[in-house]
Amino acid sequence: MLYQFVSGDFPITLTILAVLAYWAVRHRSTVQELWRDQRPVWTWLGRAAIVLAVLIPLWVAGFDNWRDLLGYSLSAHDRWMSNPFTTTPASAVVRWISFGLIGASVLVDALLYARRRNGLWLLVIMVVLGGSYFYFMNSIRIRVDALLLQSEDSLRHPEPFGLAFTLFWALGLYVFIVSTIFAIYLALFGVAAFVLSLIYSLVARGERVEPSGLTILHGSRKTE
């Protein structure tokens, strides 16, 4: 039972939600700005971004598998390496729903970024850093993830010291896995936001740029 939980998806999802909660607390004004925008269409997009950020981890933990999803970055021949544990594969319907939710989240976040016109070079940096980190670290994640298989016996017959060490080591692994998930998401977001920013800059040429909460705060400090 304990081994199934430690090697499953829920600890990864809990880590993702913890990171998102920490970010939301540190950027409370940004979250409030997304939830209550002056224009209805952007209000719904902002709320959709927040809801999807919470819904996707819960959906994957309940119906899909994070390691299987990361495996789609590999060739079909090597995809099995991404998940060394014995799990029931998600159905095609569930998998497509997962891809749909992730795609919707990327698209909504990219639209919100394009509206702010925060610059294209930052997106290039996101794509390069996120893509490079995922490319190099995902292979390491696969090898380290497989080491968790060796903890099966110790978790099925736990001893206090061994259990504490295994759980501490597993927590570090969850953080590492989550970092690769965020890295690939950042790269996908950067690509989508780059394209949408170019389109939005042409369509909304001459329109007043909506300042973000960070811009307003910076401007208020200058006037003090």
Side-chain angles (χ1 to χ4, degrees), residues 34-219:
L34 289 173
W35 193 260
R36 298 178 181 176
D37 197 276
Q38 295 179 352
R39 300 184 182 181
V41 62
W42 294 110
T43 296
W44 286 112
L45 285 175
R47 293 180 179 181
I50 296 173
V51 171
L52 286 170
V54 178
L55 177 62
I56 291 174
L58 296 177
W59 169 265
V60 174
F63 302 99
D64 211 323
N65 188 287
W66 286 113
R67 294 175 174 91
D68 288 344
L69 290 174
L70 291 174
Y72 280 88
S73 63
L74 306 174
S75 64
H77 181 265
D78 298 329
R79 197 166 293 161
W80 63 271
M81 298 171 56
S82 182
N83 187 4
F85 306 101
T86 303
T87 56
T88 302
S91 65
V93 174
V94 169
R95 187 57 47 82
W96 279 111
I97 292 176
S98 298
F99 286 143
L101 290 174
I102 295 172
S105 178
V106 170
L107 180 61
V108 169
D109 290 345
L111 285 170
L112 292 171
Y113 183 95
R115 182 201 184 194
R116 301 300 181 188
R117 305 184 197 179
N118 289 322
L120 298 178
W121 282 110
L122 180 59
L123 296 173
V124 173
I125 294 174
M126 290 181 185
V127 174
V128 172
L129 292 182
S132 299
Y133 182 90
F134 181 81
Y135 178 80
F136 290 107
M137 294 302 176
N138 189 48
S139 59
I140 298 176
R141 189 272 307 174
I142 292 174
R143 292 194 291 269
V144 176
D145 211 6
L147 295 177
L148 193 59
L149 285 169
Q150 302 177 8
S151 66
E152 181 176 1
D153 185 66
S154 62
L155 289 175
R156 294 189 186 279
H157 307 87
E159 298 177 357
F161 178 78
L163 178 61
F165 176 79
T166 300
L167 293 179
F168 179 79
W169 179 83
L171 179 60
L173 175 61
Y174 303 146
V175 173
F176 187 40
I177 294 175
V178 169
S179 71
T180 60
I181 293 173
F182 279 128
I184 188 62
Y185 185 90
L186 187 67
L188 294 174
F189 162 78
V191 173
F194 188 91
V195 175
L196 290 177
S197 293
L198 290 177
I199 297 175
Y200 191 85
S201 63
L202 295 176
V203 173
R205 182 176 297 177
E207 181 180 330
R208 185 175 66 90
V209 179
E210 297 289 342
S212 63
L214 183 61
T215 305
I216 295 174
L217 176 62
H218 183 66

